[in-house]
Amino acid sequence: QRRMEELLALAPIFSRLMDRVACDVPWLFRHLAPIREADPWLGRLLDLAEQVYGAGGVGKDPRGETRLLLTRQDYLPHSDGRYLQVEINTIAVAFAGLTERLGGLPKET
């Protein structure tokens, strides 16, 4: 029970971290640029992001927009008793049908 509570307490911290990374569009563009040519799918995503946020990500600040971050964090027990985070999954298009219900959720300020 104690371990579960510890892991649950980490969820908002990782959510804020994910949000801050996602909102730092210039940083994302800089760090993803080397992969752009090798991964056509990522290249198309970056092209779309440039249309929305401007060249280099400096045209629009996403922090001023309403956002919803739905994630699931997966942990596995380690042999020494710790739980190690193995991935963070984002939920995107698959949950588009929930948007009407999500409108009633409270905002974090």
Side-chain angles (χ1 to χ4, degrees), residues 6-54:
E6 290 172 357
L7 295 174
L8 285 172
L10 292 174
I13 295 167
F14 278 108
S15 293
R16 282 189 198 92
L17 175 63
M18 294 282 295
D19 185 59
R20 288 179 180 155
V21 168
C23 287
D24 193 346
V25 180
W27 183 89
L28 285 169
F29 280 7
R30 277 194 316 277
H31 287 85
L32 295 175
I35 307 167
R36 181 181 214 137
E37 297 302 318
D39 187 337
W41 184 80
L42 177 65
R44 289 190 303 273
L45 285 177
L46 291 172
D47 290 342
L48 179 61
E50 283 183 340
Q51 291 175 22
V52 173
Y53 297 107

